[in-house]
Amino acid sequence: MDDLFRFLFRAFDVAPEYTSTRCLAVTQSREACSRCRDVCPHQAITIQREVEIDDVDCSGCGLCVQVCPSQALEPKASYQPGHDLRCSQVAGQAQSMVCLGRLQSSDLLRLLGHRDRLTLARSDCADCPIGSAAMIDAVAGLVADTEALAEVHGRQIAISVIETDRLDKPREGGSVSRRELLRGGWRGAQQGTAAMLAPLDPGEEQDGDLPAELQRRYRLIELAEPEPDKLVPWRLPRVGDGCIMCPVCTDVCPTGAFGRDFTSHEGDGAVLELQPERCVGCDACVQACPVNVIDMDEKVSWQELSGGTVEAYRRSPDEGIEGGAAR
């Protein structure tokens, strides 16, 4: 019977996708990061050589996704854009999802569509059989992050997270009227709707080596066409004086954002390079740096983010280099 239940649960798998090469518990050590295990309300996560998620014990709440700094855990979310959303513990006719913790910022923007208001309905998280009270702060942080992304587009949005027993579908707003259809034709109406939706839809990810949400986040900022000096919601590492050009930051970076170049600058030292668009802002390099010269900075301009590979640090030839060959 236990095997039967296990089979049935796996048939409706709600556990997040896991990419071990981006996991800080793998790229650094089990002691370096255990956030997913610590936050899981059902003890469904263990960390051995990799993160292991029990298919039966996992409720699919998404809390582990929300706290994973390197986006090694990614949710499986299904929803209809342009509509409000309720968690599975809230009754009603509005579309539902197992738990709001499965959402990410790009999901909320897609749910908004061309509207400026969105309602997310949750139950009493503190007494929920799926998540826990930690979900309240997690979703609040998600909403704040989404608002920052919308601001790049000059959009003022209002996402309400309410505790309620029921959420029904509201009357559809912003639909094209019969008169508008007759005036402009169906094709024109479709084009107008697509134009309204496009700025908040990042499309699909392209690089299988990078977290999907990281790619969508970059695409959302890119679609806004910000001015070069405009600050954008992104975090990047700053490398200060004293860098010994060791390979630690390049080794622990879960997305390969850091690299060392010893070949292109012969006689002019070595360069620690950074690909800003690949940086997930996980702090792994900050924590692992043996000489403590790396800090994270949230003041990042669009020009810096979109300008391609940059020099994070240049070391002169007489300073010496630790760690051998280039990585």
Side-chain angles (χ1 to χ4, degrees):
M1 185 61 71
D2 288 343
D3 290 340
L4 176 60
F5 277 120
R6 183 174 293 274
F7 171 79
L8 290 173
F9 270 90
R10 285 180 175 174
F12 299 97
D13 184 19
V14 292
E17 298 284 355
Y18 171 63
T19 304
S20 61
T21 54
R22 292 202 296 265
C23 179
L24 302 189
V26 173
T27 59
Q28 290 184 263
S29 68
R30 284 183 292 177
E31 291 72 30
C33 185
S34 60
R35 298 184 194 182
C36 57
R37 182 192 64 196
D38 298 340
V39 79
C40 180
H42 304 290
Q43 291 77 52
I45 297 178
T46 56
I47 303 177
Q48 301 300 327
R49 292 186 176 180
E50 298 181 354
V51 166
E52 298 176 2
I53 304 175
D54 189 284
D55 297 323
V56 175
D57 290 337
C58 176
S59 66
C61 69
L63 272 171
C64 57
V65 172
Q66 298 297 330
V67 302
C68 180
S70 60
Q71 296 182 26
L73 293 166
E74 300 181 271
K76 305 166 189 173
S78 177
Y79 53 84
Q80 184 179 1
H83 295 275
D84 294 335
L85 186 69
R86 60 187 171 90
C87 78
S88 59
Q89 302 302 295
V90 173
Q93 297 176 340
Q95 69 173 329
S96 68
M97 178 177 288
V98 174
C99 184
L100 300 182
R102 299 171 71 85
L103 295 167
Q104 296 185 294
S105 294
S106 63
D107 296 317
L108 293 186
L109 291 176
R110 280 172 164 164
L111 280 165
L112 275 162
H114 64 277
R115 303 177 302 161
D116 59 4
R117 294 182 178 276
L118 174 68
T119 298
L120 303 175
R122 64 171 178 83
S123 64
D124 180 6
C125 294
D127 192 33
C128 179
I130 293 177
S132 73
M135 189 62 68
I136 299 173
D137 288 339
V139 174
L142 180 65
V143 169
D145 185 63
T146 305
E147 291 172 343
L149 279 173
E151 191 277 330
V152 178
H153 286 262
R155 294 279 300 272
Q156 297 295 317
I157 61 174
I159 302 176
S160 300
V161 183
I162 61 173
E163 181 181 336
T164 184
D165 295 327
R166 185 177 184 88
L167 182 70
D168 290 310
K169 293 181 180 179
R171 292 187 61 184
E172 294 295 335
S175 59
V176 180
S177 70
R178 183 174 182 272
R179 178 172 294 182
E180 289 170 325
L181 285 175
L182 292 175
R183 283 180 176 175
W186 175 242
R187 179 173 297 179
Q190 283 183 314
Q191 291 174 345
T193 301
M196 288 187 292
L197 288 172
L200 294 180
D201 189 341
E204 297 302 319
E205 58 275 10
Q206 301 295 322
D207 189 338
D209 292 334
L210 291 176
E213 185 64 11
L214 182 72
Q215 296 180 66
R216 294 173 192 148
R217 187 182 190 88
Y218 182 90
R219 179 60 176 157
L220 280 164
I221 298 173
E222 182 181 47
L223 286 169
E225 299 182 349
E227 293 295 324
D229 60 349
K230 181 176 178 60
L231 297 181
V232 294
W234 206 274
R235 303 176 76 233
L236 289 179
R238 308 298 187 191
V239 182
D241 292 337
C243 173
I244 58 176
M245 289 296 292
C246 73
V248 172
C249 58
T250 60
D251 287 346
V252 302
C253 181
T255 55
F258 269 125
R260 299 186 301 164
D261 186 355
F262 302 130
T263 60
S264 301
H265 308 274
E266 293 182 6
D268 195 25
V271 172
L272 179 64
E273 296 180 331
L274 175 70
Q275 299 178 64
E277 75 281 3
R278 297 185 69 91
C279 179
V280 76
C282 65
D283 288 343
C285 55
V286 175
Q287 297 168 4
C289 179
V291 288
N292 298 316
V293 295
I294 304 179
D295 293 299
M296 296 300 294
D297 186 6
E298 296 186 1
K299 293 184 177 180
V300 178
S301 70
W302 171 238
Q303 183 175 32
E304 181 178 17
L305 177 60
S306 62
T309 302
V310 297
E311 289 186 4
Y313 185 79
R314 178 184 287 270
R315 189 169 177 83
S316 63
D318 58 342
E319 288 183 280
I321 293 170
E322 301 285 341
R327 289 184 63 91

